Amino acid sequence: MLSTEKIIDAMSEQGLRITDQRKTLAKLFGEHSGYLSAKDVYEFMGKKYSGLSFDTVYRNLRVMQELGVLEQIVFEDGVKFKASCSEDHHHHHMICLQCEKTYPISFCPVSMADTPDEFQVVKHKFEVFGYCKDCRQPADAGLSVNPLSGHTGEH
Amino acid sequence: MLSTEKIIDAMSEQGLRITDQRKTLAKLFGEHSGYLSAKDVYEFMGKKYSGLSFDTVYRNLRVMQELGVLEQIVFEDGVKFKASCSEDHHHHHMICLQCEKTYPISFCPVSMADTPDEFQVVKHKFEVFGYCKDCRQPADAGLSVNPLSGHTGEH
DNA sequence: TTTTGTGCAAAGACTTTGCAGGAAG
DNA sequence: CTTCCTGCAAAGTCTTTGCACAAAA
């Protein structure tokens, strides 16, 4: 994941002005490895900047995403952001349903899925959801822990 | 994919009233194998029902999704619906970026991704995007056709 | 001092909710 | 004839845009 400094450097190199708010944003994402919604970010920033407006948060999130320092993912419950991965090789993720931190998976299933030749593969998505070691749930919490019985978006 | 009749039967069995609009909805999803947005559905239904209101479309889509006859997926550009899969075994999908039809993939990568024991796997998502045989794109259309170079949401 | 960022206000897109009349069973 | 469905109107949520002032380089 990109560090606070790398985020600031990247913004600076692209000619963006390094305002105090943007420094704080860089720090937030540089130190928080989970996903954050625009509202999360607004609430966090609001603690420091009393007159903060929502549109500036949106603008900065968008600028940072377009610049490539933030990744934007659409979850069922809305759009969320986190610092881009610094790993440069292709990989996938485990995502914790509690803290929304991500952990890399180096295995890539695409070559093993026998997609017929007449289907032109462009991109793919492989995500494993569950609870990380810090957020373990009781086994009987009503959620299956059998990897083959929990389904999301695979239909 | 569920047929028009199965959709209607399921709704009827659950005590839902089979109105003309709902018959048309069942027919739409029973015969269209791609994903449709609420707007798509509204526009289609609007051709037949002049005084149609958006909220009724939303209500019916939600009811049908909660009943299980429709599947709802969040794409980058919004929420979309299609008839539920009738296949009862676990599978994944190839999704055409042009027509948004889906094609089953029986291979499931979860067991092969070496998720550490301390990560409690709950569910997973594996989707392959591209162009189906009816929607092939020229190879130089600016989109990679290399399955290993196209990335979406895997970071 | 020039260019970009910010807050404010407003609007826009999408979705949900309360209500009263109308239709299904 | 009872219950559910529909359209209408309104409101709610999330996000974007235009403008004038303020701040960065």
Side-chain angles (χ1 to χ4, degrees):
Chain A
M1 212 184 59
L2 294 181
S3 66
T4 304
E5 295 73 39
K6 293 228 174 190
I7 295 174
I8 292 177
D9 289 353
M11 292 202 286
S12 183
E13 274 169 30
Q14 292 294 320
L16 293 184
R17 304 212 165 150
I18 306 308
T19 63
D20 202 60
Q21 256 190 67
R22 285 177 176 171
K23 271 185 214 151
T24 307
L25 271 174
K27 191 159 180 293
L28 171 60
F29 282 104
E31 294 177 358
H32 180 93
S33 59
Y35 285 96
L36 295 170
S37 67
K39 195 167 161 241
D40 294 334
V41 174
Y42 177 72
E43 282 167 4
F44 177 86
M45 300 286 287
K47 285 187 262 174
K48 188 164 178 184
Y49 307 93
S50 57
L52 183 69
S53 59
F54 235 117
D55 48 78
T56 304
V57 170
Y58 275 107
R59 265 187 291 240
N60 280 327
L61 288 174
R62 183 137 65 119
V63 163
M64 291 169 78
Q65 188 253 317
E66 283 168 356
L67 200 150
V69 298
L70 292 189
E71 282 173 16
Q72 176 181 326
I73 300 215
V74 182
F75 286 97
E76 313 265 319
D77 65 336
V79 175
K80 302 198 177 176
F81 299 84
K82 77 170 188 65
S84 294
C85 290
S86 46
E87 300 193 41
D88 53 356
H89 59 279
H90 178 68
H91 63 289
H92 295 278
H93 281 123
M94 291 175 275
I95 301 172
C96 180
L97 294 166
Q98 179 68 47
C99 67
E100 293 189 337
K101 283 185 187 160
T102 63
Y103 303 85
I105 298 175
S106 54
F107 169 71
C108 177
V110 158
S111 55
M112 310 193 63
D114 52 344
T115 52
D117 287 344
E118 72 256 26
F119 191 90
Q120 282 185 353
V121 175
V122 172
K123 60 185 185 181
H124 61 282
K125 190 182 279 200
F126 175 44
E127 288 158 356
V128 176
F129 297 89
Y131 294 97
C132 73
K133 60 181 192 307
D134 302 329
C135 303
R136 284 220 202 108
Q137 301 283 308
D140 59 351
L143 288 161
S144 165
V145 292
N146 176 348
L148 295 177
S149 69
H151 305 170
T152 296
E154 80 280 57
H155 284 286
Chain B
M1 214 186 57
L2 295 181
S3 66
T4 305
E5 295 72 41
K6 293 227 173 194
I7 294 173
I8 292 176
D9 289 352
M11 291 201 287
S12 184
E13 274 169 28
Q14 293 294 320
L16 293 184
R17 304 215 163 146
I18 307 305
T19 62
D20 202 60
Q21 254 190 68
R22 285 177 177 172
K23 272 185 213 148
T24 307
L25 270 175
K27 191 159 180 296
L28 171 60
F29 283 105
E31 293 176 359
H32 180 93
S33 60
Y35 285 95
L36 296 170
S37 67
K39 195 168 162 239
D40 294 334
V41 174
Y42 177 74
E43 281 166 5
F44 177 87
M45 300 286 288
K47 284 188 261 172
K48 189 164 178 185
Y49 306 93
S50 56
L52 183 69
S53 59
F54 236 118
D55 47 79
T56 304
V57 171
Y58 275 108
R59 266 187 290 239
N60 280 327
L61 289 174
R62 183 137 66 117
V63 162
M64 291 169 77
Q65 187 254 317
E66 284 169 354
L67 201 150
V69 297
L70 291 190
E71 282 172 15
Q72 175 181 328
I73 300 217
V74 183
F75 286 96
E76 313 265 318
D77 64 336
V79 175
K80 301 198 176 175
F81 299 84
K82 76 171 189 62
S84 294
C85 290
S86 47
E87 298 193 41
D88 52 356
H89 59 278
H90 178 69
H91 63 289
H92 295 277
H93 281 122
M94 291 176 274
I95 301 171
C96 179
L97 294 167
Q98 179 68 46
C99 67
E100 293 190 336
K101 282 186 188 160
T102 62
Y103 304 84
I105 298 176
S106 55
F107 169 70
C108 176
V110 159
S111 55
M112 309 194 63
D114 52 344
T115 52
D117 288 344
E118 71 257 26
F119 191 90
Q120 284 185 350
V121 175
V122 171
K123 59 186 185 181
H124 61 281
K125 190 182 279 201
F126 175 44
E127 288 158 356
V128 175
F129 298 89
Y131 295 97
C132 73
K133 61 182 191 309
D134 301 329
C135 303
R136 285 221 200 105
Q137 301 283 307
D140 57 352
L143 287 161
S144 165
V145 292
N146 175 346
L148 296 177
S149 68
H151 305 168
T152 296
E154 80 280 56
H155 283 290

